[in-house]
Amino acid sequence: MAVHGLLAVGAAGYWWQDAESGARLLRGDASGVREVALPQPPDGLTALAVHPADTGPGAVPHGQPGAEAHGHTATVPHGHATAVLYGYPGGDYGYLTEAGAPDRVLARRPALVRLPRVPAATGGPAGPGFVYTGFPPGARLEDPPVDGIRVAVHRAGERFAHDRPVPLGDAPDALVTLEPTADPDAVLVKSTAGGVTAHRLLRLAPGSGLPLVTELPAASSPRTRLVLGAHRWWRGEALGTPRAVLYALPPGETDPSAGEPVAFPDGAAPAWFWGTRQGVVVRAVVAGGTEALYRIDADSPEPRLVAGGAPGDSFPEVTAAPDADCALWLRVGRRPDGGTAGHVEQLLDGTTAPRTLRALPWPASAPRTTRFCAASDGHRLPVGLSGTAGPVLLLEHGGLTALANAPLERALEDLARAGRLTVARAVTRSLVPAHRVPSGGRGYDDLLHAARHLRERTGPDRPLFVLGHSMGAVGAARAVLLEPGLFDGWILRFPVTDLVGFPALGIGRYWTSLLGDPSRPEQRAALAALSPLHLPLPAGPLPPVLIQTGTHDTRADARHGRRLAERLRGRAAVTLSSYPVGHVERFCQPASSRAVAEVMAFVLDRAAVARAPEGASP
């Protein structure tokens, strides 16, 4: 049972939950939990996210207690600032449609923040509306990606043609996202390019509705976060690392040097945080890798534990908003019998403890251990193992971690629990820019060292496979091309394979600061030495390979996978598959289910061909 897309609105929480019929939207408030009925989507598209107008706790439908048990639903109210984002699940774009209105606009990398007061572009009164990212009306879903992302302001009830584009100045406008603030007239705009994240506060001028943009301190690292909560700014740096620090800035101050560090208990490092009207909710990693949630209220700088802290607790989904009165999260924890349980929980501002909105069945975790191996430069490389039997599948996810492969991760864990597969996850350094890597291969060879370690421990009798997603495909393909005899098969999902020609493929033009610039000869040489499409092919045969691409993938252009498949034909048994999905998959998408099933069948079928008597567990 998957829960995703958490949203805090006022004193209510919304979340998507997968069912056999697809994803459904639930609302939890003082009256309980009930399903929200959505408007009919455009033909061929699926609801990806909803931004409802909060109507307060409200009465249970028909005044009956326990309405959810009776199958009652709440309808998204027409006439309020409610928007539903439609598109291809897992894609980076879709239609943005207002409930009860026929207007629609194409949005790639969609981001949207609801505002209660937006002056009309035609001179009418102010009313609810949105600030959103996207492209002008008239574009089609079939159009190829183009440069830039526009930010626009839209007033509910007007045609999208009356939207007001927001100029962001000379700073890069790639990878734009929007976040709400506690100010009903302002939105935080973030854009990342060249390794720098620019922060701007977009405020609508009263009366005219003209957007006013104020520059805020930029962040030099993607692990830096700036959030408004309890009418002050909070800045986190090096989040998710042992060096993480959270600063509380004085009210009205945005200069990071004016902030005071928040003292967390020993061993607790902030990983991410969210603002509410009265404070900040912080997800932290504590000793042993356990996760916990802390709250910091405006009247006290001392973090208070509100959830977690027990061994095995984790919080895969958390949300809060500075214009909301609550935080919402999914807690997954161990039961006394060793099993696991999931709970959707809500913490209202002004309360001391969260309340459970819903308990969910949750699959038990597969047995996990961590081994360490040495890379070529002596780096201690951790390899996490789920399961103890069957063939071994070594994973590398690249820049988006396991979140991009959530449906696949669940299927792999099911096989590990059943004793049919051992899943190995290597924490590599493959995203180190190629032109900064000594000898051209340090981080990208980490996966090869992990594979050698697994082969040594499992022996020659257990089949070994490697799977790379996105940038993780560079390390996976490189390992096979350098040492094909280690592997019985390899899988590349939505891969990046061309580290020389990537600026001409889709949004690759924005990656040169991360990977290197092939227009510069010294960097081009380093990229060519790492690129699976340009590495010399070994003299002997290669193990069978499965390459999957997404027709709606705007991050890793499908031409990366197609070009490598063409190059490998005649040297390996190549299966090239294309699915109508994007770079990030969703549970409710049938095409994603088919893609995951193909991976499972490839591994198990090839393992059956290569299988010999099983050796010892790693």
Side-chain angles (χ1 to χ4, degrees):
M1 186 67 67
V3 172
H4 50 92
L6 295 176
L7 179 69
V9 181
Y14 293 80
W15 65 95
W16 291 93
Q17 180 174 314
D18 288 318
E20 292 182 1
S21 58
R24 57 179 182 162
L25 182 70
L26 301 179
R27 184 183 196 270
D29 55 29
S31 64
V33 177
R34 49 197 170 141
E35 186 172 355
V36 177
L38 298 174
Q40 185 68 28
D43 291 342
L45 302 180
T46 302
L48 301 181
V50 66
H51 295 259
D54 188 49
T55 57
V60 178
H62 309 296
Q64 299 177 4
E68 184 190 14
H70 293 84
H72 294 293
T73 60
T75 302
V76 170
H78 291 197
H80 293 272
T82 299
V84 182
L85 186 66
Y86 295 104
Y88 297 111
D92 293 319
Y93 45 85
Y95 285 109
L96 174 63
T97 302
E98 285 189 277
D103 293 327
R104 62 181 62 171
V105 65
L106 181 68
R108 290 193 176 94
R109 293 187 176 276
L112 180 148
V113 172
R114 177 180 63 88
L115 293 178
R117 298 189 299 269
V118 175
T122 56
F130 308 93
V131 177
Y132 71 95
T133 61
F135 285 86
R140 301 173 303 172
L141 287 176
E142 295 77 15
D143 291 342
V146 297
D147 289 334
I149 305 288
R150 95 165 177 170
V151 175
V153 179
H154 173 68
R155 162 72 158 81
E158 294 183 339
R159 296 171 51 214
F160 279 107
H162 293 148
D163 289 358
R164 282 147 289 182
V166 178
L168 297 180
D170 298 331
D173 63 354
L175 306 179
V176 176
T177 59
L178 304 174
E179 296 183 7
T181 71
D183 187 336
D185 299 313
V187 171
L188 182 65
V189 182
K190 301 169 64 176
S191 61
T192 301
V196 175
T197 299
H199 293 92
R200 305 174 183 88
L201 197 62
L202 189 162
R203 187 184 306 277
L204 300 181
S208 68
L210 294 176
L212 307 176
V213 178
T214 303
E215 298 286 339
L216 298 176
S220 59
S221 166
R223 296 185 182 274
T224 301
R225 180 167 169 80
L226 187 67
V227 165
L228 188 63
H231 306 291
R232 69 167 67 194
W233 290 102
W234 306 76
R235 185 181 178 95
E237 297 181 357
L239 296 170
T241 74
R243 299 180 291 104
V245 181
L246 177 64
Y247 295 94
L249 278 63
E253 182 62 69
T254 59
D255 185 353
S257 64
E260 291 290 334
V262 176
F264 283 85
D266 290 342
W272 210 248
F273 60 100
W274 300 261
T276 67
R277 291 190 201 272
Q278 297 186 22
V280 173
V281 174
V282 183
R283 178 167 61 194
V285 178
V286 297
T290 296
E291 296 180 6
L293 293 183
Y294 291 87
R295 184 173 70 183
I296 308 172
D297 293 331
D299 57 354
S300 173
E302 182 179 352
R304 289 182 285 181
L305 181 69
V306 294
D313 279 354
S314 64
F315 300 87
E317 295 278 357
V318 186
T319 190
D323 58 348
D325 300 309
C326 70
L328 191 72
W329 59 77
L330 170 66
R331 179 212 297 257
V332 178
R334 295 186 185 277
R335 297 195 306 260
D337 62 3
T340 56
H343 299 272
V344 177
E345 299 179 345
Q346 182 186 45
L347 180 69
L348 295 172
D349 275 354
T351 60
T352 58
R355 63 190 183 103
T356 298
L357 292 180
R358 164 169 290 193
L360 299 165
W362 208 260
S365 300
R368 293 195 178 189
T369 57
T370 300
R371 308 290 185 187
F372 292 89
C373 64
S376 57
D377 61 349
H379 173 71
R380 197 163 180 251
L381 181 67
V383 181
L385 299 166
S386 296
T388 58
V392 182
L393 178 62
L394 175 60
L395 298 180
E396 183 167 30
H397 289 296
L400 290 177
T401 70
L403 294 176
N405 280 280
L408 175 66
E409 286 277 339
R410 177 183 294 180
L412 295 177
E413 286 292 316
D414 288 343
L415 289 180
R417 281 190 296 272
R420 302 178 63 192
L421 182 70
T422 296
V423 182
R425 299 172 178 86
V427 182
T428 71
R429 300 166 291 171
S430 64
L431 289 182
V432 175
H435 60 284
R436 301 178 191 167
V437 177
S439 304
R442 184 188 68 194
Y444 289 93
D445 280 340
D446 282 355
L447 200 67
L448 179 58
H449 289 288
R452 289 171 178 165
H453 173 79
L454 291 169
R455 180 59 84 189
E456 290 173 0
R457 297 193 63 87
T458 60
D461 296 336
R462 292 179 64 184
L464 176 62
F465 299 85
V466 63
L467 185 152
H469 175 272
S470 187
M471 285 300 301
V474 175
R478 179 178 171 83
V480 174
L481 294 176
L482 292 178
E483 208 161 327
L486 273 179
F487 304 96
D488 296 281
W490 42 318
I491 303 108
L492 307 180
R493 307 195 78 216
F494 319 116
V496 174
T497 67
D498 187 354
L499 293 183
V500 175
F502 71 85
L505 300 178
I507 64 171
R509 62 182 67 86
Y510 300 123
W511 299 350
T512 53
S513 62
L514 174 67
L515 303 179
D517 188 350
S519 67
R520 301 173 61 177
E522 71 280 6
Q523 296 186 20
R524 182 184 181 92
L527 289 166
L530 298 174
S531 174
L533 195 65
H534 297 85
L535 278 173
L537 295 179
L542 292 166
V545 58
L546 168 63
I547 301 176
Q548 295 182 331
T549 63
T551 56
H552 308 312
D553 189 342
T554 60
R555 290 185 178 91
D557 193 285
R559 287 172 287 183
H560 281 280
R562 293 200 299 265
R563 290 176 180 177
L564 183 61
E566 186 62 31
R567 188 182 186 217
L568 296 176
R569 294 193 191 280
R571 303 297 301 275
V574 179
T575 302
L576 175 64
S577 301
S578 178
Y579 292 91
V581 298
H583 202 63
V584 177
E585 295 183 288
R586 296 174 185 264
F587 289 95
C588 61
Q589 186 178 20
S592 177
S593 299
R594 296 195 301 272
V596 169
E598 184 182 39
V599 173
M600 299 295 97
F602 179 86
V603 171
L604 297 178
D605 291 348
R606 295 306 310 171
V609 172
R611 188 180 302 277
E614 292 188 357
S617 299

